[in-house]
Amino acid sequence: MTSRRDLFIDLSVELTGYSRVQLLGTGMSERYLQALDEVLPDGMVDEFLATSAALPTMTIDAILRSETWGPVTRNIMILWYCGRWTALPDSWRAVHGTRPADSNHVISADSYQAGLQWVAAGAHPAGARQQGFGAWTVAPEEAAS
Amino acid sequence: MTTSHHLNGDSMPAITTLDELYAYLDSAMQLEHATIPPYLTALYSIRPGTNSDAYHVLRVTVVEEMLHLTLVANLLNAVGGTPDLTVAGFVPDYPAYLPDGERDFQVSCARFSRESLGTFLEIERPRQAPDEQSRLIDRGPARRGRLGSAPGNNQLQYYSIGEFYQEISRGLHYLHDLLGDALFCGDPTRQVGSEYFYSGGGAIVPVSDLRSAEAAIDLICEQGEGFGGGIFDSEGELAHYYRFQQLVLGRYYQERDSRDHPSGPHIEVDWDAAYPIKQNAHLADYPADSEVAAAAIAFNTSYAGFLDLLTRAYGGRPELLLDAVTEMFRLRDQMTRLIHNPIPGLDGVNAAPTFEVSVHLAGVAS
C-alpha cells in the first residue's frame, strides 16, 4: 500500500514538474504534508490524496478548476516553490472552515532555502544559504545541468 | 599528547629515509581525510531544524579535520614531497579500521546516533602506548581500510593516531640530524598560509623548518586529544574528544572543568531526529538506473573532482582553496539530497553518499 507521503510526492511531482529525488531531497516533504494537515479539516488531506491518485495524470486542470481542491492545489505548488503557506480564500473558508494555521507564513528557514523557485530561476537562495565567497559567479548545480 | 621525544629515544626510528617520511606523510593525509566522510555523513543525516548543538559540534570538528589535512600537506610539501589525494585507495572503502590501543575498531559512514558518536569518541580518544614495544601492534593479515599502519606493512598498526604522529616527529628529528636544514627543501610557494585558509578551526601553520613542523604536528594532535592530558588544546579550544563527549553526556564543558565532568549548560540531543540512512552505503545498494543511483554517482564524480582540486591546490596553487569552499557547499547539497531520499525498494532506509571515487577519477582528473 502506498504511504501518505508517497501519494503526496506523486501528486507533487505532477504539480511542480520536479522529480521525486529532487522533491524528497529538499527534506521538506513531511513538513509540507504536516502544513496541510494543520489547515484542512480532519480527513480532508487523505481524501484529496486519494482523489488525486485516482485521477489519470494530466488532469491537473480539472483539479485546479475545482472549487474545493483548486485553492489547496495552488497552495501546494506555492509550498514547494516558495516554502510558504498562503491563507486560503474566504470563499473556501466559508465552506470548509478556518484553522489557526491558515495564515500567510513562511514554513521555516529551511523551507525558504529549499524553495524550488531558486532552482527554477537558476539562483542561490538570496541571503540565506552559505555558499562561499565569490560563489555568485558559479551557476547553481541544477541550473548548470 | 605532545610530540616531544619520549620513551627511549635511542631506539632506531621507523623513518630513516626521505622516502619513508613521504610514505608516512602520505599515510597521514589518508588518515586525516578518512575521518571526514563519517563525520560529514553523521552531520548531514541530522534532520533540518533539529539538534542544532550537535550539528554545530560536528561541523566545527569536520572543519578542523580539513585543517589537519592541510597541515599534513604543508609538512609533505616542506620536505619536498608531493601531496596526491587522487591516488587509488586514498579514500577508504568504508568501514575503515582505526587504531585504538590494543585493538582496532571499525569506522563507518552512518547516521547521527549514540553509536556513531561512540565511534567518534574512539577516533579522538587520547592514548599513549604503555611502553616502547607496544607502539606498533600486529593486527593480523592486511586488510582494506586499515589506517595508521606502518607504510609498506599493513599488518602493523600504530597503538594510536597520537603514536603514529609521534613516529613522524621522531623521523623528522632523525632526518634533520642527518641532513640539517636541507631537509626542508620544499618550494615555499606551495605552503598554504592564512591568506588561503581562514575561519578554518585554528591557525594554519606554514612549515619551513623543524620548529614549524613540530608546531603543525602538535596542533593536529592537540585538537584531537587535548594538550598535555588536558581537555583543551594550547589555543584554549576544547579537544574533539571532549566536544563529542559533551553530546553523549548532555552537558557543555566550561573553563576549569576536569575531564569526564562537564558542568556547563545542558545540551538537548534528539537522537531520533536523524534520517535512517544505509550504513556504509555502496552504489551496488541502489537499484541501477534509479534516480538515487544517478544522484550518488553525481556526488562521487563531484567528490573525485574535489580531491583533484585539493591536489592542485596543494601542488602549488593554494589560491584554488578559495574555489574549494564553494565546491564544498555544492557537495553538501548533493549529500543532503541523497540522505533525504529513501532507497527504492527498501522500506524506511535512506540513501547516503558512497564516496566510491576511484572508479570515476579518470574522467575528471585534469
PDB file of all heavy atoms in Angstrom, chain B residues 328-351:
ATOM      1  N   MET B 328      32.669  22.890  -1.721  1.00  0.00           N
ATOM      2  CA  MET B 328      32.226  22.151  -0.535  1.00  0.00           C
ATOM      3  C   MET B 328      30.732  22.334  -0.289  1.00  0.00           C
ATOM      4  O   MET B 328      30.043  21.405   0.108  1.00  0.00           O
ATOM      5  CB  MET B 328      32.992  22.615   0.702  1.00  0.00           C
ATOM      6  CG  MET B 328      34.402  22.076   0.783  1.00  0.00           C
ATOM      7  SD  MET B 328      35.161  22.617   2.326  1.00  0.00           S
ATOM      8  CE  MET B 328      36.659  23.344   1.716  1.00  0.00           C
ATOM      9  N   PHE B 329      30.244  23.538  -0.520  1.00  0.00           N
ATOM     10  CA  PHE B 329      28.807  23.764  -0.310  1.00  0.00           C
ATOM     11  C   PHE B 329      27.984  22.998  -1.343  1.00  0.00           C
ATOM     12  O   PHE B 329      26.897  22.508  -1.048  1.00  0.00           O
ATOM     13  CB  PHE B 329      28.484  25.259  -0.334  1.00  0.00           C
ATOM     14  CG  PHE B 329      28.978  25.970   0.899  1.00  0.00           C
ATOM     15  CD1 PHE B 329      29.912  26.981   0.820  1.00  0.00           C
ATOM     16  CD2 PHE B 329      28.518  25.600   2.158  1.00  0.00           C
ATOM     17  CE1 PHE B 329      30.380  27.617   1.963  1.00  0.00           C
ATOM     18  CE2 PHE B 329      28.973  26.224   3.306  1.00  0.00           C
ATOM     19  CZ  PHE B 329      29.905  27.245   3.208  1.00  0.00           C
ATOM     20  N   ARG B 330      28.536  22.874  -2.546  1.00  0.00           N
ATOM     21  CA  ARG B 330      27.853  22.091  -3.564  1.00  0.00           C
ATOM     22  C   ARG B 330      27.811  20.616  -3.144  1.00  0.00           C
ATOM     23  O   ARG B 330      26.791  19.944  -3.290  1.00  0.00           O
ATOM     24  CB  ARG B 330      28.601  22.229  -4.893  1.00  0.00           C
ATOM     25  CG  ARG B 330      27.737  22.029  -6.102  1.00  0.00           C
ATOM     26  CD  ARG B 330      28.424  22.629  -7.307  1.00  0.00           C
ATOM     27  NE  ARG B 330      29.522  21.796  -7.765  1.00  0.00           N
ATOM     28  CZ  ARG B 330      29.431  20.952  -8.790  1.00  0.00           C
ATOM     29  NH1 ARG B 330      28.287  20.831  -9.428  1.00  0.00           N
ATOM     30  NH2 ARG B 330      30.457  20.248  -9.177  1.00  0.00           N
ATOM     31  N   LEU B 331      28.928  20.149  -2.597  1.00  0.00           N
ATOM     32  CA  LEU B 331      28.969  18.763  -2.115  1.00  0.00           C
ATOM     33  C   LEU B 331      27.944  18.551  -1.003  1.00  0.00           C
ATOM     34  O   LEU B 331      27.267  17.535  -0.947  1.00  0.00           O
ATOM     35  CB  LEU B 331      30.373  18.418  -1.603  1.00  0.00           C
ATOM     36  CG  LEU B 331      31.460  18.273  -2.662  1.00  0.00           C
ATOM     37  CD1 LEU B 331      32.841  18.219  -2.009  1.00  0.00           C
ATOM     38  CD2 LEU B 331      31.235  17.028  -3.506  1.00  0.00           C
ATOM     39  N   ARG B 332      27.835  19.551  -0.124  1.00  0.00           N
ATOM     40  CA  ARG B 332      26.850  19.455   0.956  1.00  0.00           C
ATOM     41  C   ARG B 332      25.440  19.280   0.383  1.00  0.00           C
ATOM     42  O   ARG B 332      24.683  18.407   0.825  1.00  0.00           O
ATOM     43  CB  ARG B 332      26.885  20.732   1.809  1.00  0.00           C
ATOM     44  CG  ARG B 332      25.771  20.812   2.843  1.00  0.00           C
ATOM     45  CD  ARG B 332      25.556  22.229   3.339  1.00  0.00           C
ATOM     46  NE  ARG B 332      25.179  23.120   2.248  1.00  0.00           N
ATOM     47  CZ  ARG B 332      25.084  24.439   2.367  1.00  0.00           C
ATOM     48  NH1 ARG B 332      25.372  25.022   3.499  1.00  0.00           N
ATOM     49  NH2 ARG B 332      24.736  25.192   1.330  1.00  0.00           N
ATOM     50  N   ASP B 333      25.106  20.090  -0.618  1.00  0.00           N
ATOM     51  CA  ASP B 333      23.755  19.994  -1.173  1.00  0.00           C
ATOM     52  C   ASP B 333      23.521  18.638  -1.832  1.00  0.00           C
ATOM     53  O   ASP B 333      22.429  18.070  -1.741  1.00  0.00           O
ATOM     54  CB  ASP B 333      23.522  21.133  -2.171  1.00  0.00           C
ATOM     55  CG  ASP B 333      23.495  22.494  -1.468  1.00  0.00           C
ATOM     56  OD1 ASP B 333      23.363  22.517  -0.221  1.00  0.00           O
ATOM     57  OD2 ASP B 333      23.622  23.526  -2.151  1.00  0.00           O
ATOM     58  N   GLN B 334      24.557  18.124  -2.484  1.00  0.00           N
ATOM     59  CA  GLN B 334      24.401  16.803  -3.113  1.00  0.00           C
ATOM     60  C   GLN B 334      24.256  15.705  -2.058  1.00  0.00           C
ATOM     61  O   GLN B 334      23.504  14.751  -2.250  1.00  0.00           O
ATOM     62  CB  GLN B 334      25.610  16.503  -4.008  1.00  0.00           C
ATOM     63  CG  GLN B 334      25.642  17.341  -5.270  1.00  0.00           C
ATOM     64  CD  GLN B 334      26.819  16.962  -6.156  1.00  0.00           C
ATOM     65  OE1 GLN B 334      27.949  16.806  -5.689  1.00  0.00           O
ATOM     66  NE2 GLN B 334      26.567  16.808  -7.444  1.00  0.00           N
ATOM     67  N   MET B 335      24.981  15.869  -0.958  1.00  0.00           N
ATOM     68  CA  MET B 335      24.888  14.871   0.127  1.00  0.00           C
ATOM     69  C   MET B 335      23.506  14.878   0.758  1.00  0.00           C
ATOM     70  O   MET B 335      22.912  13.828   0.982  1.00  0.00           O
ATOM     71  CB  MET B 335      25.929  15.164   1.212  1.00  0.00           C
ATOM     72  CG  MET B 335      27.340  14.828   0.830  1.00  0.00           C
ATOM     73  SD  MET B 335      28.470  15.046   2.239  1.00  0.00           S
ATOM     74  CE  MET B 335      28.108  13.579   3.180  1.00  0.00           C
ATOM     75  N   THR B 336      23.004  16.067   1.066  1.00  0.00           N
ATOM     76  CA  THR B 336      21.713  16.113   1.757  1.00  0.00           C
ATOM     77  C   THR B 336      20.604  15.589   0.851  1.00  0.00           C
ATOM     78  O   THR B 336      19.685  14.931   1.315  1.00  0.00           O
ATOM     79  CB  THR B 336      21.372  17.531   2.248  1.00  0.00           C
ATOM     80  OG1 THR B 336      21.492  18.443   1.159  1.00  0.00           O
ATOM     81  CG2 THR B 336      22.282  17.972   3.369  1.00  0.00           C
ATOM     82  N   ARG B 337      20.726  15.848  -0.447  1.00  0.00           N
ATOM     83  CA  ARG B 337      19.683  15.334  -1.336  1.00  0.00           C
ATOM     84  C   ARG B 337      19.614  13.811  -1.257  1.00  0.00           C
ATOM     85  O   ARG B 337      18.537  13.229  -1.193  1.00  0.00           O
ATOM     86  CB  ARG B 337      19.949  15.769  -2.780  1.00  0.00           C
ATOM     87  CG  ARG B 337      18.876  15.246  -3.712  1.00  0.00           C
ATOM     88  CD  ARG B 337      19.125  15.626  -5.129  1.00  0.00           C
ATOM     89  NE  ARG B 337      19.283  17.069  -5.279  1.00  0.00           N
ATOM     90  CZ  ARG B 337      19.633  17.656  -6.412  1.00  0.00           C
ATOM     91  NH1 ARG B 337      19.843  16.938  -7.491  1.00  0.00           N
ATOM     92  NH2 ARG B 337      19.754  18.952  -6.482  1.00  0.00           N
ATOM     93  N   LEU B 338      20.778  13.169  -1.244  1.00  0.00           N
ATOM     94  CA  LEU B 338      20.798  11.706  -1.142  1.00  0.00           C
ATOM     95  C   LEU B 338      20.209  11.242   0.189  1.00  0.00           C
ATOM     96  O   LEU B 338      19.380  10.333   0.247  1.00  0.00           O
ATOM     97  CB  LEU B 338      22.240  11.203  -1.250  1.00  0.00           C
ATOM     98  CG  LEU B 338      22.792  11.030  -2.651  1.00  0.00           C
ATOM     99  CD1 LEU B 338      24.304  10.858  -2.600  1.00  0.00           C
ATOM    100  CD2 LEU B 338      22.149   9.826  -3.329  1.00  0.00           C
ATOM    101  N   ILE B 339      20.673  11.888   1.261  1.00  0.00           N
ATOM    102  CA  ILE B 339      20.286  11.456   2.603  1.00  0.00           C
ATOM    103  C   ILE B 339      18.784  11.612   2.843  1.00  0.00           C
ATOM    104  O   ILE B 339      18.174  10.856   3.591  1.00  0.00           O
ATOM    105  CB  ILE B 339      21.141  12.234   3.640  1.00  0.00           C
ATOM    106  CG1 ILE B 339      22.573  11.691   3.619  1.00  0.00           C
ATOM    107  CG2 ILE B 339      20.538  12.167   5.031  1.00  0.00           C
ATOM    108  CD1 ILE B 339      23.588  12.525   4.392  1.00  0.00           C
ATOM    109  N   HIS B 340      18.170  12.574   2.175  1.00  0.00           N
ATOM    110  CA  HIS B 340      16.728  12.805   2.343  1.00  0.00           C
ATOM    111  C   HIS B 340      15.887  11.814   1.541  1.00  0.00           C
ATOM    112  O   HIS B 340      14.667  11.809   1.674  1.00  0.00           O
ATOM    113  CB  HIS B 340      16.358  14.226   1.907  1.00  0.00           C
ATOM    114  CG  HIS B 340      16.951  15.283   2.786  1.00  0.00           C
ATOM    115  ND1 HIS B 340      17.010  16.614   2.412  1.00  0.00           N
ATOM    116  CD2 HIS B 340      17.512  15.222   4.007  1.00  0.00           C
ATOM    117  CE1 HIS B 340      17.594  17.309   3.374  1.00  0.00           C
ATOM    118  NE2 HIS B 340      17.906  16.488   4.355  1.00  0.00           N
ATOM    119  N   ASN B 341      16.525  10.998   0.716  1.00  0.00           N
ATOM    120  CA  ASN B 341      15.765  10.131  -0.180  1.00  0.00           C
ATOM    121  C   ASN B 341      15.785   8.668   0.246  1.00  0.00           C
ATOM    122  O   ASN B 341      16.856   8.102   0.462  1.00  0.00           O
ATOM    123  CB  ASN B 341      16.334  10.229  -1.604  1.00  0.00           C
ATOM    124  CG  ASN B 341      15.587  11.243  -2.433  1.00  0.00           C
ATOM    125  OD1 ASN B 341      14.488  10.973  -2.911  1.00  0.00           O
ATOM    126  ND2 ASN B 341      16.157  12.430  -2.561  1.00  0.00           N
ATOM    127  N   PRO B 342      14.594   8.060   0.331  1.00  0.00           N
ATOM    128  CA  PRO B 342      14.559   6.622   0.612  1.00  0.00           C
ATOM    129  C   PRO B 342      15.156   5.842  -0.566  1.00  0.00           C
ATOM    130  O   PRO B 342      15.053   6.278  -1.708  1.00  0.00           O
ATOM    131  CB  PRO B 342      13.070   6.307   0.735  1.00  0.00           C
ATOM    132  CG  PRO B 342      12.356   7.602   0.721  1.00  0.00           C
ATOM    133  CD  PRO B 342      13.260   8.622   0.111  1.00  0.00           C
ATOM    134  N   ILE B 343      15.781   4.719  -0.263  1.00  0.00           N
ATOM    135  CA  ILE B 343      16.269   3.847  -1.330  1.00  0.00           C
ATOM    136  C   ILE B 343      15.064   3.087  -1.885  1.00  0.00           C
ATOM    137  O   ILE B 343      14.347   2.441  -1.125  1.00  0.00           O
ATOM    138  CB  ILE B 343      17.314   2.841  -0.793  1.00  0.00           C
ATOM    139  CG1 ILE B 343      18.499   3.590  -0.177  1.00  0.00           C
ATOM    140  CG2 ILE B 343      17.773   1.904  -1.901  1.00  0.00           C
ATOM    141  CD1 ILE B 343      19.524   2.672   0.483  1.00  0.00           C
ATOM    142  N   PRO B 344      14.810   3.192  -3.195  1.00  0.00           N
ATOM    143  CA  PRO B 344      13.648   2.495  -3.746  1.00  0.00           C
ATOM    144  C   PRO B 344      13.707   1.003  -3.420  1.00  0.00           C
ATOM    145  O   PRO B 344      14.763   0.383  -3.565  1.00  0.00           O
ATOM    146  CB  PRO B 344      13.781   2.713  -5.262  1.00  0.00           C
ATOM    147  CG  PRO B 344      14.683   3.903  -5.409  1.00  0.00           C
ATOM    148  CD  PRO B 344      15.581   3.903  -4.214  1.00  0.00           C
ATOM    149  N   GLY B 345      12.599   0.477  -2.943  1.00  0.00           N
ATOM    150  CA  GLY B 345      12.537  -0.955  -2.656  1.00  0.00           C
ATOM    151  C   GLY B 345      12.953  -1.318  -1.238  1.00  0.00           C
ATOM    152  O   GLY B 345      12.722  -2.429  -0.791  1.00  0.00           O
ATOM    153  N   LEU B 346      13.606  -0.403  -0.551  1.00  0.00           N
ATOM    154  CA  LEU B 346      13.971  -0.675   0.842  1.00  0.00           C
ATOM    155  C   LEU B 346      13.127   0.232   1.727  1.00  0.00           C
ATOM    156  O   LEU B 346      13.326   1.436   1.764  1.00  0.00           O
ATOM    157  CB  LEU B 346      15.455  -0.374   1.095  1.00  0.00           C
ATOM    158  CG  LEU B 346      16.468  -1.364   0.574  1.00  0.00           C
ATOM    159  CD1 LEU B 346      17.878  -0.943   0.954  1.00  0.00           C
ATOM    160  CD2 LEU B 346      16.176  -2.753   1.140  1.00  0.00           C
ATOM    161  N   ASP B 347      12.192  -0.382   2.428  1.00  0.00           N
ATOM    162  CA  ASP B 347      11.269   0.435   3.205  1.00  0.00           C
ATOM    163  C   ASP B 347      11.996   1.068   4.393  1.00  0.00           C
ATOM    164  O   ASP B 347      12.600   0.376   5.205  1.00  0.00           O
ATOM    165  CB  ASP B 347      10.109  -0.438   3.684  1.00  0.00           C
ATOM    166  CG  ASP B 347       8.924   0.419   4.080  1.00  0.00           C
ATOM    167  OD1 ASP B 347       8.829   1.556   3.570  1.00  0.00           O
ATOM    168  OD2 ASP B 347       8.121  -0.043   4.907  1.00  0.00           O
ATOM    169  N   GLY B 348      11.958   2.381   4.472  1.00  0.00           N
ATOM    170  CA  GLY B 348      12.486   3.051   5.653  1.00  0.00           C
ATOM    171  C   GLY B 348      13.997   3.129   5.733  1.00  0.00           C
ATOM    172  O   GLY B 348      14.549   3.385   6.790  1.00  0.00           O
ATOM    173  N   VAL B 349      14.695   2.875   4.631  1.00  0.00           N
ATOM    174  CA  VAL B 349      16.152   3.049   4.633  1.00  0.00           C
ATOM    175  C   VAL B 349      16.509   4.097   3.586  1.00  0.00           C
ATOM    176  O   VAL B 349      16.152   3.960   2.419  1.00  0.00           O
ATOM    177  CB  VAL B 349      16.899   1.733   4.309  1.00  0.00           C
ATOM    178  CG1 VAL B 349      18.402   1.947   4.398  1.00  0.00           C
ATOM    179  CG2 VAL B 349      16.456   0.631   5.253  1.00  0.00           C
ATOM    180  N   ASN B 350      17.181   5.139   4.029  1.00  0.00           N
ATOM    181  CA  ASN B 350      17.507   6.209   3.102  1.00  0.00           C
ATOM    182  C   ASN B 350      18.887   6.021   2.471  1.00  0.00           C
ATOM    183  O   ASN B 350      19.722   5.283   2.976  1.00  0.00           O
ATOM    184  CB  ASN B 350      17.453   7.556   3.824  1.00  0.00           C
ATOM    185  CG  ASN B 350      16.031   8.073   3.939  1.00  0.00           C
ATOM    186  OD1 ASN B 350      15.084   7.298   3.952  1.00  0.00           O
ATOM    187  ND2 ASN B 350      15.884   9.380   4.014  1.00  0.00           N
ATOM    188  N   ALA B 351      19.078   6.729   1.386  1.00  0.00           N
ATOM    189  CA  ALA B 351      20.353   6.682   0.678  1.00  0.00           C
ATOM    190  C   ALA B 351      21.391   7.518   1.424  1.00  0.00           C
ATOM    191  O   ALA B 351      21.071   8.236   2.371  1.00  0.00           O
ATOM    192  CB  ALA B 351      20.174   7.198  -0.740  1.00  0.00           C
TER     193      ALA B 351
END
